[in-house]
Amino acid sequence: QVQLQESGPGLVKPSETLSLTCAVSGYSISSGYYWGWIRQPPGKGLEWIGTIFHSGSTYYNPSLKGRVTISVDTSENQFSLRLSSVTAADTAVYYCARARGGSYQFDYWGQGTLVTVSS
Amino acid sequence: EIVLTQSPGTLSLSPGERATLSCRASQSVSSSFLAWYQQKPGQAPRLLIYGASSRATGIPDRFSGSGSGTDFTLTISRLEPEDFAVYYCQQYGSSLWTFGQGTKVEIK
């Protein structure tokens, strides 16, 4: 059974960098698929942040480009998100998820982690 | 960038009724790349439908998806108590993923 688990600080100060990691179990990242980050501000809808292919190719939401970096560590079977220059608008539940190649739906999701941006 | 618009924003129905949710794209979407998700409070989204009409593993057959081009529909044939939730459509195109804003199905 594929499982994803987000981890990282729950509180980040404005202008600093948000860093999260998604640990994957039950499947080897290096075997394939896309691995993505999606966020959901409190009481609002889902926003795609970006996706990385197992080979390292990255795809980012244009509205966040320039602030987002997604990387993969196949030796640890995990991938990471860095979002720089955060503001209160970046407060959200952050989810990691796996996307199937060929049809691109997110079939497995982590439970999500709330990140609050506040001084 | 393709924008997905879901309607209605809220659907008030009773258990046993039929729910019809719409997802309209700002430009044509490949049916292969259109998915639907269900999200309950405090939970991660769950994949229901992919490829516009294929049910994900373990999804009951009361959920069905249809559509092509710019108009897609999620139908729940008979609402069960556990179906009251928020539903999102999602598409992939030009190396970008986008989600609709969601439709809430609430108990009338």
Side-chain angles (χ1 to χ4, degrees):
Chain A
Q1 176 73 356
V2 179
Q3 293 185 316
L4 296 88
Q5 179 67 59
E6 305 89 350
S7 62
L11 181 64
V12 180
K13 289 182 169 56
S15 80
E16 295 190 344
T17 296
L18 178 160
S19 295
L20 295 174
T21 296
C22 181
V24 179
S25 59
Y27 187 84
S28 174
I29 285 181
S30 59
S31 295
Y33 288 93
Y34 294 82
W35 305 89
W37 289 95
I38 300 100
R39 69 181 182 179
Q40 185 171 37
K44 297 188 177 180
L46 302 169
E47 179 184 30
W48 172 69
I49 299 170
T51 303
I52 188 165
F53 193 47
H54 69 97
S55 63
S57 299
T58 51
Y59 312 89
Y60 298 132
N61 188 324
S63 68
L64 298 171
K65 201 167 186 178
R67 295 202 295 137
V68 177
T69 303
I70 296 176
S71 59
V72 64
D73 184 343
T74 54
S75 65
E76 295 290 333
N77 213 42
Q78 63 187 30
F79 61 106
S80 300
L81 168 71
R82 288 173 57 86
L83 181 65
S84 63
S85 305
V86 297
T87 69
D90 295 310
T91 293
V93 174
Y94 285 76
Y95 295 100
C96 59
R98 186 184 83 167
R100 295 185 69 92
S103 49
Y104 305 102
Q105 74 275 13
F106 292 103
D107 57 358
Y108 286 96
W109 294 67
Q111 65 185 26
T113 187
L114 174 63
V115 179
T116 301
V117 178
S118 175
S119 56
Chain B
E1 180 182 342
I2 296 176
V3 176
L4 298 178
T5 301
Q6 293 186 240
S7 61
T10 302
L11 199 52
S12 298
L13 296 168
S14 301
E17 290 194 293
R18 181 184 187 91
T20 302
L21 287 67
S22 172
C23 176
R24 180 161 290 179
S26 59
Q27 54 187 282
S28 186
V29 171
S30 168
S31 296
S32 298
F33 305 154
L34 194 287
W36 290 91
Y37 302 84
Q38 176 193 69
Q39 187 180 35
K40 297 179 181 179
Q43 296 184 15
R46 177 175 70 144
L47 177 67
L48 296 176
I49 301 287
Y50 65 95
S53 60
S54 296
R55 276 186 299 276
T57 303
I59 302 303
D61 61 7
R62 64 180 181 272
F63 291 92
S64 63
S66 63
S68 64
T70 60
D71 290 296
F72 297 87
T73 300
L74 174 69
T75 301
I76 310 171
S77 59
R78 294 175 310 279
L79 283 165
E80 296 289 339
E82 61 268 28
D83 299 337
F84 291 92
V86 180
Y87 293 83
Y88 295 94
C89 57
Q90 169 254 312
Q91 71 85 37
Y92 168 85
S94 301
S95 300
L96 301 176
W97 283 254
T98 55
F99 289 90
Q101 83 280 16
T103 290
K104 182 179 182 180
V105 179
E106 65 176 22
I107 299 177
K108 186 174 182 180

